[in-house]
Amino acid sequence: MKEPSTSPENEDLLHLTTQLLTSLLNTHLSNIHHFKTKWSLIKTKLISLQTHLADFSDTSLSSNSLSISVLSSLSSALSDGISLAEKCSNPSSLPEGKLRTQSDIDSLSSKLDTLNKDCEILLRSGVLLQESVVSSKEVVRVEVRNLLTRLQIGSNESKNSAIDSLLGLINEDDKNVLIAVAQGIVPVLVKSLDCASYEMREKIVAAIARVSSVDSSKHVLVAEGLLLLNQLIRVIESGSGFAKEKACFALQALSFTKENARAIGSRGGISSLLEICHGGTPSSQAMAAGVLRNLAQFEEIKENFVEENAIPVLIAVSSSGTTLARENAIGCLSNLVHNDETLKVLVAREGGVESLKNYWDSTPIGKGLEPAVEFLRNLASYHPIGEVLIFQGFPLKLLPLLNCGVLTVRIAAAGAVYELGFCSKARREMGECGCVSALVRMLEGKAVEEREAAAKALSNLMVCTFNKKIFRKEEKGIVSTVQLLDPLTKNLDKKWPIAILGTMINSKKCRKQMVAAGASVYLQKLVELDVEGSKKLLDSLGRGKLWGVFARP
């Protein structure tokens, strides 16, 4: 390790500052005649500074602009203090008057408070004790510590320069963000927001947004709680377009918890977010819609959306915003109508079905369609609207999604098949276009969620005789469904495969396939576990065997 060293120039500055402090503390304060109480408080602050200077003498000051800056400011303040103490040592009158002198003493006291704080931050940060750097990671760590210290002490110009450098560093690489978070960047940024200038506040919000972009760092932002939340809400109310965009980006990371969602709703955040959706920049619209999408998941917040007349604004964004803004607006509408028939009707009346159709038709098959499929599923669960969706041709739009390569989209599409399957016309249409075969393939998916969604959808389609014929022709239909009965397959509701097999039980060929695939064994175990429908299906399989015996000549 490299031994700490102190340059001659810095040694002189430290020595001079120490001399000035000693002179003021031990000589000049003993002769004070005016404002003795105020000088007594100043003496306490000087004693604290004396301790800090002793710590400075044990550290490396070379090549450290922060220590030079602090010592220079302290030296200047002490010189002013000596001059002021000499004036207050005059037993007769004060040369510049009582009020002016009192104001100067208060100003000196405030400066000493700031310098005490700066010294504490500088010493606590460890930047004066830097060892020789041997790795790029350590280089970043040292630089971050240095920049965070500069953000907390010194002039506004120095702080502005520090945040610029910090932004450049964390924008280079996600690893730099993680290092900065480990060094305590988030609490420093949040604290700095409260007293920063307009320009600085924008840059600090941009830094916070950058931290929120790294998933493994989001929990640190959440830990800051309402303090950070309130600051970000202030920005979306009155910041520039750039600051609003960055604040919304950060709010997306904070709006997943119920407590924060309530706080945003109760502090007028939804109104401000809707204003951005209505008249903000294209990028800020997308971010604001993303926050609203998160908030709409919580039942307690939905009333705020209605009060703020959010639905027309969201429908407008879903029709004319950027790709991301439209996706977030559709996702928000989907979350709003989930389990709420009143909102489903309201959204449909405001043009929600047309908006969904336009978005669907203009969006390539892939992840971007997931919120649209969820929206379709949520609307279709209310049958009067479901009938409108069927008339608009949505059943025929689901097959490509059941066959696509995105797992979550396939699962959502299977859910939509189930909801639209309340109607015999839709069941037949979906069977004719190939949905049964696609769902049978999904029964063998790796994810349990995919297999359950497929089984649930098929349980509805199998009500249609035409679809039963298609299912019987599927080589793996019966076998794949029976495998879902295995009690070892956890987190899968057995009532769906039981329902599918129940529709096929009258076919002798299908009964044989079920038994050969192990259905009797699985069902016996499910009966012991008291799974609904398992005993009835097992009894039906048993009766089929008896019918086979009686049928022999």
Side-chain angles (χ1 to χ4, degrees):
M1 182 180 76
K2 188 178 180 180
E3 290 295 324
S5 62
T6 306
S7 67
E9 295 83 357
N10 288 348
E11 280 187 344
D12 291 344
L13 181 58
L14 177 60
H15 182 66
L16 171 63
T17 306
T18 304
Q19 279 188 325
L20 288 170
L21 193 150
T22 302
S23 175
L24 179 57
L25 190 58
N26 297 336
T27 303
H28 291 84
L29 292 190
S30 62
N31 299 318
I32 294 294
H33 284 280
H34 303 281
F35 302 109
K36 290 185 178 181
T37 301
K38 288 183 179 292
W39 281 107
S40 176
L41 292 173
I42 287 176
K43 182 178 181 179
T44 303
K45 298 170 185 179
L46 291 173
I47 292 172
S48 178
L49 282 166
Q50 195 172 42
T51 303
H52 293 324
L53 284 181
D55 291 334
F56 269 61
S57 65
D58 295 330
T59 63
S60 170
L61 298 175
S62 61
S63 305
N64 196 295
S65 60
L66 290 173
S67 62
I68 297 171
S69 174
V70 170
L71 288 174
S72 297
S73 298
L74 179 54
S75 175
S76 175
L78 291 171
S79 296
D80 292 342
I82 289 173
S83 175
L84 192 57
E86 288 174 348
K87 295 175 183 178
C88 290
S89 298
N90 189 339
S92 55
S93 61
L94 292 166
E96 296 182 358
K98 186 176 181 180
L99 290 177
R100 172 64 184 273
T101 304
Q102 181 176 337
S103 174
D104 289 344
I105 294 172
D106 289 339
S107 176
L108 174 64
S109 181
S110 177
K111 285 180 183 177
L112 294 176
D113 279 335
T114 300
L115 288 164
N116 253 314
K117 185 194 74 171
D118 288 353
C119 287
E120 289 171 3
I121 293 171
L122 189 56
L123 291 164
R124 187 172 65 245
S125 70
V127 298
L128 302 183
L129 295 170
Q130 293 171 185
E131 301 175 1
S132 56
V133 177
V134 295
S135 69
S136 59
K137 184 176 181 180
E138 185 63 21
V139 169
V140 175
R141 186 180 290 116
V142 168
E143 180 64 12
V144 167
R145 281 202 298 264
N146 185 53
L147 292 172
L148 290 182
T149 305
R150 286 173 55 194
L151 267 178
Q152 299 173 80
I153 67 177
S155 65
N156 289 336
E157 183 180 355
S158 174
K159 291 177 180 178
N160 196 43
S161 174
I163 190 64
D164 284 338
S165 299
L166 185 61
L167 276 169
L169 191 66
I170 61 179
N171 282 328
E172 284 180 8
D173 196 312
D174 284 359
K175 291 179 182 178
N176 289 358
V177 174
L178 296 175
I179 292 171
V181 168
Q183 295 302 311
I185 183 178
V186 172
V188 173
L189 291 174
V190 173
K191 188 175 181 181
S192 300
L193 266 175
D194 199 34
C195 54
S197 64
Y198 187 86
E199 181 186 3
M200 273 284 289
R201 189 178 296 118
E202 286 197 353
K203 295 176 181 179
I204 292 170
V205 171
I208 291 171
R210 175 68 180 111
V211 172
S212 74
S213 70
V214 180
D215 288 341
S216 54
S217 298
K218 290 180 179 179
H219 68 283
V220 184
L221 294 174
V222 174
E224 290 297 317
L226 295 179
L227 180 61
L228 174 56
L229 203 65
N230 289 335
Q231 293 284 5
L232 293 174
I233 291 174
R234 282 174 55 193
V235 173
I236 66 172
E237 288 173 347
S238 58
S240 67
F242 172 81
K244 288 178 179 180
E245 178 186 339
K246 296 302 181 183
C248 288
F249 193 96
L251 280 172
Q252 286 189 73
L254 298 172
S255 52
F256 282 105
T257 69
K258 186 179 292 187
E259 179 185 5
N260 285 350
R262 283 194 192 124
I264 294 171
S266 64
R267 287 165 172 75
I270 290 176
S271 174
S272 298
L273 290 165
L274 287 169
E275 285 182 15
I276 296 173
C277 286
H278 179 69
T281 64
S283 295
S284 62
Q285 278 185 332
M287 296 300 108
V291 181
L292 292 169
R293 180 178 180 177
N294 291 343
L295 298 177
Q297 297 177 85
F298 301 100
E299 294 296 326
E300 303 94 319
I301 311 299
K302 291 183 179 181
E303 185 177 340
N304 296 90
F305 280 84
V306 177
E307 291 174 353
E308 299 293 344
N309 199 28
I311 291 171
V313 176
L314 291 167
I315 288 178
V317 174
S318 73
S319 301
S320 59
T322 65
T323 300
L324 181 57
R326 296 178 69 205
E327 179 181 334
N328 282 332
I330 288 290
C332 183
L333 289 167
S334 176
N335 289 337
L336 279 176
V337 301
H338 180 65
N339 290 334
D340 193 316
E341 289 187 357
T342 301
L343 281 175
K344 289 174 186 176
V345 173
L346 181 58
V347 167
R349 285 176 179 169
E350 292 287 346
V353 173
E354 293 82 358
S355 178
L356 170 61
K357 191 173 187 298
N358 291 336
Y359 176 82
W360 193 305
D361 291 343
S362 62
T363 302
I365 294 175
K367 186 70 176 176
L369 271 178
E370 184 180 346
V373 186
E374 292 284 2
F375 191 20
L376 171 65
R377 183 176 69 178
N378 289 331
L379 288 174
S381 64
Y382 182 58
H383 291 177
I385 298 177
E387 290 174 354
V388 175
L389 293 166
I390 293 167
F391 177 78
Q392 292 285 342
F394 278 98
L396 300 177
K397 296 177 182 289
L398 292 171
L399 179 62
L401 276 61
L402 295 173
N403 289 321
C404 80
V406 183
L407 173 63
T408 52
V409 173
R410 293 199 302 271
I411 292 172
V417 169
Y418 174 81
E419 295 297 350
L420 290 172
F422 74 90
C423 170
S424 58
K425 176 180 181 292
R427 287 194 293 265
R428 177 72 182 238
E429 284 183 353
M430 289 186 284
E432 287 178 338
C433 76
C435 287
V436 173
S437 299
L439 290 167
V440 169
R441 288 192 292 273
M442 287 176 63
L443 293 176
E444 294 186 298
K446 292 182 179 179
V448 173
E449 295 84 358
E450 178 175 15
R451 283 178 273 163
E452 181 176 64
K456 184 176 179 180
L458 283 168
S459 71
N460 236 356
L461 294 187
M462 289 303 100
V463 176
C464 173
T465 302
F466 177 81
N467 292 337
K468 292 178 189 176
K469 293 177 182 178
I470 299 174
F471 186 82
R472 280 199 295 268
K473 293 177 182 178
E474 289 293 325
E475 183 180 351
K476 296 184 178 180
I478 294 292
V479 175
S480 296
T481 305
V482 169
Q483 293 303 313
L484 300 184
L485 298 175
D486 188 349
L488 295 178
T489 302
K490 304 295 184 182
N491 302 318
L492 190 149
D493 195 335
K494 307 300 181 184
K495 70 181 180 183
W496 306 121
I498 288 174
I500 295 171
L501 297 174
T503 64
M504 312 302 294
I505 198 68
N506 291 331
S507 166
K508 181 178 180 180
K509 179 182 177 181
C510 290
R511 288 198 302 273
K512 285 183 177 181
Q513 287 178 314
M514 293 179 206
V515 173
S520 299
V521 177
Y522 293 147
L523 286 168
Q524 185 59 54
K525 293 178 182 178
L526 295 179
V527 169
E528 294 169 4
L529 295 171
D530 199 27
V531 173
E532 182 182 354
S534 57
K535 188 175 187 307
K536 180 179 179 181
L537 183 58
L538 180 61
D539 290 344
S540 297
L541 281 178
R543 284 199 301 273
K545 292 179 181 179
L546 290 175
W547 292 336
V549 172
F550 293 143
R552 290 175 185 170

